[in-house]
Amino acid sequence: MMSSPSKRSVAVLLGLSCLFASQAATARPDRLAREGHALAVKRCGACHATEKTGASPLPIAPPFRSLGYRYPVETLDEALAEGIVAGHPDMPSDPWEPADIKRFIAYLESIGPKPDKPR
């Protein structure tokens, strides 16, 4: 049987483990969103506004922060995987890698509105 100090030590260690695990879980979405932002700037920033403010360099290209008003951004995964063929005339249609799609969508979810219901 464990002594009281040993039980306390185990309880403290378990508590710290839970704390660190929860911090790691919240850090992952933040990291994905930062990486997705970098992808957006690199792949799309010549036409689309990629920040929380400012106009798109190409006026017909919507700012990414506004995409959530049009549709749930998490539904873009299939279009990105296949290569988007709609959009504005200058939009490239090359397919995205699954890991990049996950990062990009995390970024879109972090920057845009949170619609109450799907459209």
Side-chain angles (χ1 to χ4, degrees):
M1 187 160 198
M2 277 197 255
S3 66
S4 273
S6 294
K7 288 179 184 177
R8 277 191 288 259
S9 296
V10 169
V12 168
L13 287 174
L14 285 172
L16 288 173
S17 296
C18 290
L19 175 66
F20 291 131
S22 68
Q23 287 176 340
T26 55
R28 182 164 170 75
D30 291 344
R31 180 179 54 82
L32 286 175
R34 282 192 311 273
E35 292 171 353
H37 177 252
L39 284 167
V41 169
K42 180 180 177 183
R43 293 185 72 154
C44 314
C47 297
H48 293 271
T50 58
E51 305 302 327
K52 292 183 180 183
T53 61
S56 292
L58 181 64
I60 64 171
F64 283 149
R65 66 183 172 275
S66 72
L67 292 183
Y69 289 117
R70 298 169 186 234
Y71 40 82
V73 295
E74 67 274 5
T75 63
L76 290 174
D77 57 350
E78 188 175 329
L80 291 167
E82 294 175 0
I84 295 178
V85 291
H88 56 82
D90 297 326
M91 192 161 161
S93 61
D94 56 317
W96 288 48
E97 294 297 322
D100 287 345
I101 293 169
K102 187 174 185 171
R103 291 176 181 103
F104 184 67
I105 289 176
Y107 152 71
L108 290 176
E109 290 173 340
S110 75
I111 195 171
K114 312 295 185 268
D116 292 332
K117 56 188 169 201
R119 291 169 178 67

